[in-house]
Coordinates of all heavy atoms in Angstrom, one line a residue:
S863 N 137.6 150.6 125.6 CA 138.0 151.6 126.7 C 138.6 153.0 126.2 O 138.3 153.9 126.6 CB 139.2 151.0 127.5 OG 138.7 149.8 128.1
Q864 N 139.2 152.9 125.0 CA 139.5 154.1 124.3 C 138.4 154.9 123.9 O 138.4 156.2 124.0 CB 140.5 153.8 123.1 CG 141.1 155.0 122.4 CD 142.1 155.9 123.3 OE1 142.8 155.3 124.1 NE2 141.9 157.1 123.3
V865 N 137.4 154.2 123.4 CA 136.3 154.9 123.0 C 135.5 155.8 124.2 O 135.2 156.9 124.1 CB 135.1 154.1 122.4 CG1 133.9 154.7 122.2 CG2 135.7 153.5 121.0
L866 N 135.5 155.1 125.3 CA 134.9 155.7 126.5 C 135.7 156.9 126.9 O 135.2 157.9 127.3 CB 134.8 154.6 127.6 CG 133.8 153.5 127.4 CD1 133.7 152.6 128.6 CD2 132.4 154.1 127.1
R867 N 137.1 156.6 127.0 CA 138.0 157.8 127.4 C 137.8 159.0 126.4 O 137.8 160.2 126.8 CB 139.4 157.3 127.3 CG 139.7 156.4 128.5 CD 141.3 156.4 128.6 NE 141.9 155.7 127.5 CZ 142.1 154.4 127.3 NH1 141.8 153.5 128.4 NH2 142.7 154.0 126.4
D868 N 137.7 158.7 125.1 CA 137.6 159.8 124.1 C 136.2 160.6 124.3 O 136.2 161.8 124.0 CB 137.6 159.3 122.8 CG 139.0 158.7 122.4 OD1 139.9 159.1 123.1 OD2 139.1 157.9 121.4
R869 N 135.1 159.9 124.8 CA 134.0 160.6 125.0 C 133.7 161.1 126.4 O 132.7 161.8 126.6 CB 132.8 159.5 124.6 CG 132.9 159.1 123.2 CD 132.5 160.2 122.3 NE 132.6 159.7 120.8 CZ 133.6 159.7 120.0 NH1 134.7 160.2 120.4 NH2 133.4 159.3 118.9
A870 N 134.6 160.9 127.4 CA 134.4 161.3 128.8 C 134.3 162.8 128.9 O 133.4 163.2 129.7 CB 135.6 160.9 129.6
N871 N 135.0 163.7 128.1 CA 134.8 165.2 128.2 C 133.9 165.7 127.1 O 134.1 166.9 126.9 CB 136.3 165.7 128.2 CG 137.1 165.3 129.4 OD1 136.6 165.1 130.5 ND2 138.4 164.9 129.2
S872 N 133.2 165.0 126.5 CA 132.4 165.4 125.5 C 131.3 166.4 125.9 O 130.7 166.2 127.0 CB 131.8 164.2 124.6 OG 130.9 164.8 123.6
L873 N 131.0 167.5 125.0 CA 129.9 168.4 125.4 C 128.7 168.0 124.7 O 127.8 168.9 124.7 CB 130.4 169.7 125.1 CG 131.6 170.3 126.0 CD1 131.9 171.8 125.5 CD2 131.3 170.4 127.4
R874 N 128.6 166.8 124.2 CA 127.4 166.4 123.4 C 126.5 165.5 124.1 O 127.0 164.6 125.0 CB 127.9 165.7 122.0 CG 128.7 166.4 121.1 CD 128.7 165.8 119.7 NE 129.5 164.5 119.9 CZ 130.8 164.5 119.4 NH1 131.3 165.5 118.8 NH2 131.5 163.3 119.5
L875 N 125.3 165.7 124.0 CA 124.1 164.8 124.5 C 123.4 164.2 123.5 O 123.4 164.7 122.3 CB 123.2 165.6 125.5 CG 123.7 166.5 126.7 CD1 122.6 167.2 127.3 CD2 124.5 165.6 127.7
I876 N 122.8 163.1 123.7 CA 122.1 162.3 122.7 C 120.6 162.3 123.2 O 120.3 161.7 124.3 CB 122.7 161.0 122.5 CG1 124.1 161.0 122.1 CG2 121.8 160.2 121.5 CD1 124.8 159.6 122.1
C877 N 119.7 162.8 122.4 CA 118.4 162.8 122.7 C 117.7 161.8 121.8 O 117.6 161.9 120.6 CB 117.7 164.2 122.6 SG 115.9 164.2 123.0
H878 N 117.0 160.6 122.2 CA 116.4 159.7 121.5 C 115.0 159.3 122.0 O 114.7 159.8 123.2 CB 117.2 158.5 121.3 CG 117.6 157.8 122.7 ND1 116.8 156.9 123.2 CD2 118.6 158.0 123.5 CE1 117.4 156.5 124.4 NE2 118.5 157.1 124.6
S879 N 114.4 158.5 121.3 CA 112.9 158.1 121.8 C 113.1 157.3 123.1 O 114.0 156.4 123.3 CB 112.2 157.4 120.8 OG 111.1 156.8 121.3
K880 N 112.2 157.5 124.1 CA 112.3 156.7 125.3 C 111.9 155.3 125.1 O 112.4 154.5 125.8 CB 111.2 157.3 126.3 CG 111.3 156.8 127.7 CD 110.4 157.5 128.6 CE 110.4 157.1 130.1 NZ 109.6 157.8 131.0
A881 N 111.3 155.0 124.0 CA 111.0 153.6 123.7 C 112.2 152.9 123.0 O 112.0 151.6 123.0 CB 109.8 153.5 122.7
G882 N 113.1 153.5 122.6 CA 114.4 152.9 122.1 C 114.7 153.6 120.7 O 114.0 154.4 120.1
F883 N 115.9 153.2 120.2 CA 116.5 153.8 119.0 C 115.7 153.5 117.7 O 115.9 154.2 116.7 CB 117.9 153.4 118.8 CG 118.9 154.1 119.9 CD1 119.3 153.4 121.0 CD2 119.3 155.4 119.6 CE1 119.9 154.1 121.8 CE2 120.1 156.0 120.4 CZ 120.5 155.4 121.6
S884 N 114.8 152.3 117.7 CA 114.2 152.0 116.5 C 113.0 153.0 116.4 O 112.3 152.9 115.3 CB 113.8 150.6 116.5 OG 113.0 150.3 117.8
Y885 N 112.7 153.6 117.3 CA 111.5 154.6 117.3 C 111.9 155.9 117.0 O 112.9 156.4 117.4 CB 110.6 154.5 118.7 CG 110.1 153.2 119.0 CD1 110.7 152.3 119.6 CD2 108.7 153.0 118.6 CE1 110.2 151.1 120.0 CE2 108.0 151.7 118.9 CZ 108.8 150.8 119.5 OH 108.3 149.7 119.8
M886 N 111.2 156.5 116.0 CA 111.5 157.9 115.5 C 111.0 159.0 116.3 O 110.0 158.9 117.0 CB 111.2 158.1 114.0 CG 111.5 156.9 113.2 SD 113.3 156.7 113.0 CE 113.6 158.0 111.8
L887 N 111.8 160.1 116.2 CA 111.2 161.4 116.8 C 110.9 162.5 115.7 O 111.5 162.4 114.7 CB 112.4 161.9 117.8 CG 112.7 161.2 119.0 CD1 114.0 161.9 119.7 CD2 111.6 161.1 119.9
P888 N 109.9 163.2 116.0 CA 109.7 164.3 115.0 C 110.8 165.3 114.9 O 111.4 165.7 115.9 CB 108.2 164.9 115.6 CG 107.8 164.0 116.5 CD 109.0 163.3 117.2
E889 N 111.0 165.7 113.6 CA 112.2 166.6 113.4 C 111.9 168.0 114.0 O 112.8 168.7 114.3 CB 112.6 166.8 112.0 CG 111.5 167.3 111.1 CD 111.8 167.4 109.6 OE1 112.9 166.8 109.3 OE2 111.1 168.1 108.9
A890 N 110.5 168.3 114.3 CA 110.2 169.6 114.9 C 110.7 169.7 116.3 O 110.7 170.9 116.8 CB 108.5 169.7 114.9

């Protein structure tokens, strides 16, 4: 719960592969 509260006001987004985290994205 503390982790969720700490991240509630974060200005960060996470962009990952639609297929899942095990799939890589081009650094370009």
Side-chain angles (χ1 to χ4, degrees):
S863 299
Q864 182 63 42
V865 172
L866 293 178
R867 285 195 298 269
D868 291 343
R869 298 295 183 265
N871 298 321
S872 174
L873 296 178
R874 293 192 295 254
L875 304 178
I876 302 173
C877 177
H878 58 88
S879 173
K880 192 175 183 179
F883 285 98
S884 58
Y885 293 86
M886 309 296 284
L887 291 175
E889 64 178 13

